[in-house]
């Protein structure tokens, strides 16, 4: 099953800057071959359910091994079975409607 996900990974116990840890997760999504786009408060990720969930698990494993004592991940997931749709498709659909108005 194909999933669209928005995830925010919050490592704790690592000091003020978490950007090195977020970079680690970005690399994990990249290495997993997942389509992903980082934004100011998280990352949009899309791919097959098992691949996405395995990458999330790997983020937690790697961040813990790199010193994050606690990690909280906030995820929003979406699946649909009536048609194939990517994150880009969703954005394009809204943008087209804005042009029409």
């Amino acid at each position: 099953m194909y999933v669209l996900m928005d995830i925010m990974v919050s490592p704790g116990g690592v000091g003020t800057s978490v950007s090195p840890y977020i970079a680690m997760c970005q690399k994990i999504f990249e290495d997993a071959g997942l389509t992903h786009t980082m934004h100011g408060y998280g990352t949009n990720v899309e791919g097959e359910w098992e691949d996405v969930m395995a990458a999330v698990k790997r983020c937690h494993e790697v961040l813990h091994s790199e010193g994050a004592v606690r990690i909280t991940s906030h995820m929003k997931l979406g699946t649909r079975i009536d048609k194939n749709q990517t994150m880009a498709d969703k954005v394009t659909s809204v943008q087209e409607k804005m042009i029409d108005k």
Side-chain angles (χ1 to χ4, degrees):
M1 180 179 300
Y2 201 77
V3 63
L4 305 179
M5 175 180 71
D6 186 52
I7 183 168
M8 182 180 72
V9 178
S10 301
V14 297
T16 304
S17 177
V18 298
S19 60
Y21 297 88
I22 303 310
M24 290 176 210
C25 285
Q26 295 299 306
K27 180 78 168 112
I28 290 166
F29 295 140
E30 185 176 311
D31 290 348
L34 299 170
T35 299
H36 63 286
T37 305
M38 184 177 58
H39 54 86
Y41 282 97
T43 303
N44 291 324
V45 182
E46 59 184 275
E48 291 300 322
W49 181 276
E50 292 80 11
D51 298 333
V52 171
M53 292 302 126
V56 170
K57 179 180 179 184
R58 186 78 183 126
C59 282
H60 277 249
E61 292 170 343
V62 168
L63 270 56
H64 280 306
S65 74
E66 292 295 323
V69 178
R70 297 180 73 172
I71 303 165
T72 301
S73 288
H74 302 269
M75 296 184 288
K76 293 186 286 186
L77 302 164
T79 59
R80 65 185 301 168
I81 59 171
D82 61 325
K83 68 178 185 176
N84 293 328
Q85 187 177 46
T86 66
M87 297 254 189
D89 294 336
K90 293 170 70 74
V91 171
T92 299
S93 177
V94 172
Q95 288 172 333
E96 288 171 350
K97 290 167 180 64
M98 291 171 63
I99 291 169
D100 292 340
K101 296 292 174 193

